[in-house]
Amino acid sequence: MAINQFLTFVLPKKPIEEKYGGIPKQLEIKHAEWEKYWKNYDMELDDAPEPEFEDAISTKWWKGIEIDISELRKDIDKIITRAEWNGGTSWKTEKAEFDHDLSIDFNDKENYIEDFRFRTDLTDSTLTFIKSMLDLCERNEWILMDDKGNLCEPKIQNLAELIKDSDADRFLRNPTEFFENIK
């Protein structure tokens, strides 16, 4: 991941509203548990084991959400170039001056999205990619989550609040200070 990219998870709004009686400001992400999980992860396994903990990332928010994955892929193809790898579907800007990417892990057996995320290159002042993604999310009643579990509606002002003080934002504002403050 490039340091100038901001990671955003896409989640369906309805199951979160049902579980919490509305949209909370933040969901829990168990970073220490994920570190342990990835440390013990075996890349050779065809079917990776499910994490033994529940948090905002491991919860199957998309299970039970009706989605036409082929139509979704077509919609995303209009925004960014597709690249197939690792069994999932990924998209990445190709030979462009900006480095945006997107991935969707779809469970073909059970017909649901397991993971949907994108990374926005914050040096892209055109905002074309991010505006297109926000529009897609708004049309489908999806919400956004950053890597700290903070949630927001798919509006540019709301996402800007999540981006503010992110690692990518701090790096772009002052790269020297950013690297000096890395633990």
Side-chain angles (χ1 to χ4, degrees):
M1 176 167 92
I3 196 69
N4 58 311
Q5 290 179 316
F6 182 75
L7 174 63
T8 308
F9 295 89
V10 178
L11 303 173
K13 190 186 246 185
K14 187 178 177 183
I16 294 170
E17 285 177 324
E18 289 171 356
K19 182 171 182 168
Y20 296 101
I23 301 296
K25 186 173 174 64
Q26 186 177 41
L27 299 176
E28 180 184 25
I29 296 179
K30 297 180 177 174
H31 294 285
E33 295 291 329
W34 280 108
E35 278 185 41
K36 284 186 228 168
Y37 175 82
W38 290 116
K39 184 179 177 185
N40 297 316
Y41 183 78
D42 184 353
M43 292 292 283
E44 301 299 315
L45 291 177
D46 284 341
D47 212 9
E50 291 291 322
E52 294 178 8
F53 57 91
E54 186 174 324
D55 71 352
I57 296 172
S58 65
T59 299
K60 304 296 183 201
W61 298 111
W62 292 94
K63 219 169 191 175
I65 300 292
E66 287 291 319
I67 189 130
D68 184 336
I69 193 67
S70 62
E71 283 303 311
L72 175 58
R73 287 177 175 146
K74 286 178 192 174
D75 286 343
I76 294 170
D77 286 341
K78 295 173 189 170
I79 299 169
I80 191 168
T81 305
R82 190 184 310 195
E84 300 278 343
W85 64 284
N86 284 346
T89 304
S90 298
W91 289 259
K92 184 160 180 52
T93 48
E94 261 186 28
K95 298 179 186 172
E97 66 182 287
F98 305 115
D99 187 17
H100 305 292
D101 60 54
L102 182 149
S103 69
I104 297 175
D105 292 332
F106 190 74
N107 184 318
D108 289 313
K109 292 176 192 161
E110 297 182 52
N111 200 32
Y112 74 94
I113 293 173
E114 291 184 346
D115 184 67
F116 185 169
R117 63 179 71 190
F118 63 91
R119 294 184 299 182
T120 306
D121 183 336
L122 297 184
T123 64
D124 181 359
S125 60
T126 68
L127 304 178
T128 304
F129 173 75
I130 193 63
K131 284 181 177 178
S132 297
M133 288 305 301
L134 293 173
D135 181 55
L136 178 68
C137 291
E138 190 168 13
R139 282 194 324 261
N140 289 286
E141 296 185 19
W142 300 335
I143 59 172
L144 307 175
M145 181 179 74
D146 69 8
D147 62 356
K148 295 175 184 89
N150 297 307
L151 298 173
C152 77
E153 293 289 332
K155 306 264 187 244
I156 197 80
Q157 315 87 289
N158 300 58
L159 187 60
E161 283 299 311
L162 294 187
I163 291 170
K164 190 173 66 177
D165 291 327
S166 67
D167 286 346
D169 181 57
R170 281 193 299 283
F171 170 75
L172 290 173
R173 280 188 279 122
N174 190 334
T176 304
E177 183 180 301
F178 175 82
F179 286 116
E180 286 172 355
N181 291 319
I182 291 178
K183 295 178 183 173

